[in-house]
Amino acid sequence: RSNDFFGLPSQDVFVVPLRRTPMLESSSGELRLCTASSLLLTHEGSAALFSTLAEPPKSLDETLESATGGKPGQSVLQALEARGVKYISVCSSSNLVGCPADPYFVGAS
C-alpha cells in the first residue's frame, strides 16, 4: 500500500505469501531452532507458488476478499478465473535478469 499498488487498481493487485516450513540443518537433517522453544522457519521456495495459488488461503486477506467478491474458501486461481484471466506470468525473485511477461516467452510452449 505504501507504493499505491504500483499505480494499479487495488483490486487488481494480489500479494500471495508463500507458506513457511521448519528449516533443517543440511549436514545432519536436524531441525534448526530460532529460540530454545521455537523452530526456525523458511519459505518453501518458488516451486511452492503453484500449490499456494491452487489452495484456498488459510485466512482470507482484505485484498483477496475484495478481488474474489468475498467468497471464502476460493483460491487465487479460482478468483483469477472468475475475473476472466486465462494466463499469468511468473517471474522468480531469484532470477534477477528475468523480465515479467517477457514478450519473447509469452506464448512459448
Side-chain angles (χ1 to χ4, degrees):
R1 292 188 176 162
S2 64
N3 290 320
D4 193 31
F5 297 101
F6 310 101
L8 298 168
S10 63
Q11 68 271 16
D12 290 340
V13 177
F14 289 82
V15 177
V16 182
L18 291 178
R19 293 180 306 235
R20 296 176 61 121
T21 189
M23 184 181 281
L24 296 175
E25 183 64 47
S26 61
S27 59
S28 65
E30 295 177 348
L31 291 170
R32 295 194 58 194
L33 296 176
C34 183
T35 67
S37 61
S38 67
L39 295 173
L40 182 61
L41 300 177
T42 185
H43 294 284
E44 288 187 343
S46 300
L49 172 67
F50 302 104
S51 59
T52 301
L53 292 176
E55 296 171 357
K58 301 288 185 255
S59 61
L60 196 58
D61 116 329
E62 223 176 272
T63 305
L64 182 59
E65 187 172 351
S66 65
T68 61
K71 297 175 185 164
Q74 190 174 42
S75 72
V76 173
L77 287 179
Q78 290 170 324
L80 292 173
E81 185 178 34
R83 298 173 83 196
V85 174
K86 293 184 179 182
Y87 307 99
I88 60 173
S89 175
V90 175
C91 182
S92 171
S93 61
S94 59
N95 182 0
L96 299 178
V97 296
C99 176
D102 187 322
Y104 292 106
F105 291 111
V106 173
S109 56

